[in-house]
Amino acid sequence: TILGETHEEEDEILPRKDYESLDYDRCINDPYLEVLESMDNKKAQRYEAVKWVMVFAIGVCTGLVGLFVDFFVRLFTQLKFRVVQSSVEECTEKGCLALSLLELLGFNLTFVFLASLLVLIQPVAAGSGIPEIKCYLNGVKVPGVVRLRTVVCKAMGVLFSVAGGLFVGKEGPMIHSGAVVGAGLPQFQSISLRKIQFNFPYFRSDRDKRDFVSAGAAAGVAAAFGAPIGGTLFSLEEGSSFWNQGLTWKVLFCSMAATFTLNFFRSGIQFGSWGSFQLPGLLNFGEFKCSESDKKCHLWTAVDLGFFILMGIVGGLLGATFNCLNKRLAKYRMRNVHPKPKLVRVLESLLVSLTTTVVVFVASMVLGECRQMSSTSHSGNDTLSLQGMSEDVNSSIKTFFCPNETYNDMATLFFNPQESAILQLFHQDGTFSPVTLSLFFLLYFLLSCWTYGISVPSGLFVPSLLCGAAFGRLVANLLKSYIGLDHIYSGTFALIGAASFLGGVVRMTISLTVILIESTNEITYGLPIMITLMVAKWTGDFFNKGIYDIHVNLRGVPLLEWETEVEMDKLRASDIMEPNLTYVYPHTRIQSLVSILRTTVHHAFPVVTENRGNEREFMKGNQLISNNIKFKKSSILTRAGEQRKRSQSMKSYPSSELRNMCDEHIATEEPPEKEDLLQQMLERRYTPYPNLYPDQSPSEEWTMEERFRPLTFHGLILRSQLVTLLVRGVCYSESQSSASQPRLSHAEMSEDYPRYPDIHDLDLTLLNPRMIVDVTPYMNPSPFAVSPNTHVSQVFNLFRTMGLRHLPVVNAVGEIVGIITRHNLTHEFLQARLRQHYQTI
């Protein structure tokens, strides 16, 4: 279900046409204007107050989801390691280690099986969820991505997949969970819980929903890393195309609420000191501090920056390799795993779990080295949090098969939760052998690459940080041992290694820099982290895209980048628009509307009248000229044929063929030929729509030129609006004036949001096909529009910045000549049009 079309020659996945855009632009029609008329300052302030309360509630709920996941992961992991560790210690003497391995396999396979089952219930819950949320914030409606069932399966699933020992993190899914909370909480209803309904009239639009999803995603980052500012910047950097100052303030407030909710409860549960705020996020890097006995030690010096840049380059190369391998794996899965029965996905997850468990167990037992414990490692630390951190680091040391006063370095990294292993690499003064670090990095790199993409909820942040931290610690060991640089602080190199590898994989810059600074709580790391991330991103971008962009492309989602390439400006709006329009008239019979809605898949239709006054200038030689757009007759045939079919089967009636039955209306005289066209337009600008009704079908003897008439553009009407009008019986009969048509309020129009009825579910027996619908009060009379000569960069910026769904192309005299949607602005579509452009030159 998530595959894009594959281009046979290049094996390239093209954006799919069945993804819809979100309606971020307001439809300012008559029902909306009625709401505006009734709005006063007091109502506006109440609406704003409710928004702030909602944002706070989203932050608190996201924090509680994080608390739930963290609590149970910690519970299950401690239980598992306690049982297995005691078994290993007993079996070391008795020689029954196979039994310990079976116990570990039993725990891990059970947990991973449960995680896979939850993904079968809701397939969108697989993976980290960041690509899907990135698409949503970019303006693409991904089916099922923000449903209640998704967040339940995601939170429960990630809990089991992390406890099951897979090389995945819980931080990515936290971002998805926060976004779902943001989308669902302000709606006060859910498809999964249909019986629970609240009469909550606010926020019934994609515009409000997308703002809340931005806040929820930011709260997810804030809860995961204890980084509220980083969360806000993540939401800004990774997708939200439309942004304003008010939204920034709300998103930051939501992130703060999430961080401190999680901090409050975790500190209370773990330390028993409620209200002390000691544990900011799910992932805490601890405090970086040189031991006071070592006078030479500095966190970093200017000389180290050179090493950091080199580490950034290596991190970028490693990240590009990771992404390349993962893309090939994902394509293999799309061809060979996804088409098969769902059970195959569960078996694949179990295979990965089995392999990971065996590798971890065997590596810990066979490949580890016994290293001397450092006695002076934590003298002089008098703060409570640092003592807690030191105890945490010391308590997670594993002594498998090693004599007293020594520890097994490989087991210490593998036989711990990932967060503990990261703290070991950042803060453990005892050394890790270069061989151990190299083997650990290699095994972790390959297994986490294989794991990302299987059918379990899985984050990528923590595995990438752990992989990178091992690489950084290895560099520090080599510099100390072989080059003799005694002044360097291993923890700093581990942190920079983690940043370089993570930056090489995900290619985020601004937000990731701030997230890492907030996680370390050390502002002096700002410059090295930023330089490392920039170098890693530039190096990786030379080879391929970031991992999330790769997975977005594999799903065939039409994502819009921040801007187009420079050479695309050789194209104009007329080169990329869709000229074959399906349109409706201001007054159309029900049978015609039903036929249009059932025979097309478009989500919006231009409302037009035929411009007979312009017809004399329309035909010149062998070309049809419609004010600064030239069409060859051959290119018109498809559209003319389509219209001929419609006139025979759909019975659409142009207003120019209609007879006016109102006595009050006085026919306007045709203006003289020489009168200025602009003057005519100005005079006609505010003329209300006449009360017209269909008299006869367009003549079947019309010539092609008669059919392809200039169409004066009056507005856009959405499919959802037309279906709502038909379902609610908004129409009038031929013998009546359109004033007798029932009127719907804004609340009635948006009552079915976000799942409007489908035209195929409509009971046609309840409708009289000869009745007429006046669509003018419900259409958007003033959508954004562009001229056919507008350059593509201007079209792109308008479309992306304003979060549009449809962009009509209207010429100098108000005739619609085409329409542009998201699919006309994707990189692949623009490239294809540019190639055509070069061929015609």
Side-chain angles (χ1 to χ4, degrees), residues 38-52:
S38 65
M39 186 70 78
D40 54 20
N41 278 345
K42 198 174 275 184
K43 278 187 180 174
Q45 284 165 0
R46 189 189 308 148
Y47 184 78
E48 192 66 11
V50 172
K51 222 172 193 176
W52 279 98

Side-chain angles (χ1 to χ4, degrees), residues 391-398 411-412 415-416 420-421 424:
E391 285 161 20
D392 194 26
V393 169
N394 282 337
S395 66
S396 56
I397 286 173
K398 302 293 181 217
T412 299
F415 247 78
N416 271 316
S420 300
Q424 286 286 347

Side-chain angles (χ1 to χ4, degrees), residues 673-687:
E673 279 181 45
K674 291 181 183 177
E675 194 175 329
D676 183 19
L677 197 58
L678 184 62
Q679 191 58 39
Q680 294 175 31
M681 286 170 66
L682 289 171
E683 284 171 7
R684 286 204 308 262
R685 188 186 294 171
Y686 298 110
T687 313

Side-chain angles (χ1 to χ4, degrees), residues 289-310:
K289 195 175 181 182
C290 285
S291 63
E292 291 175 13
S293 57
D294 191 354
K295 300 295 179 191
K296 285 183 182 176
C297 173
H298 299 285
L299 287 183
W300 66 279
T301 61
V303 178
D304 297 337
L305 277 177
F307 294 118
F308 296 161
I309 289 169
L310 290 173

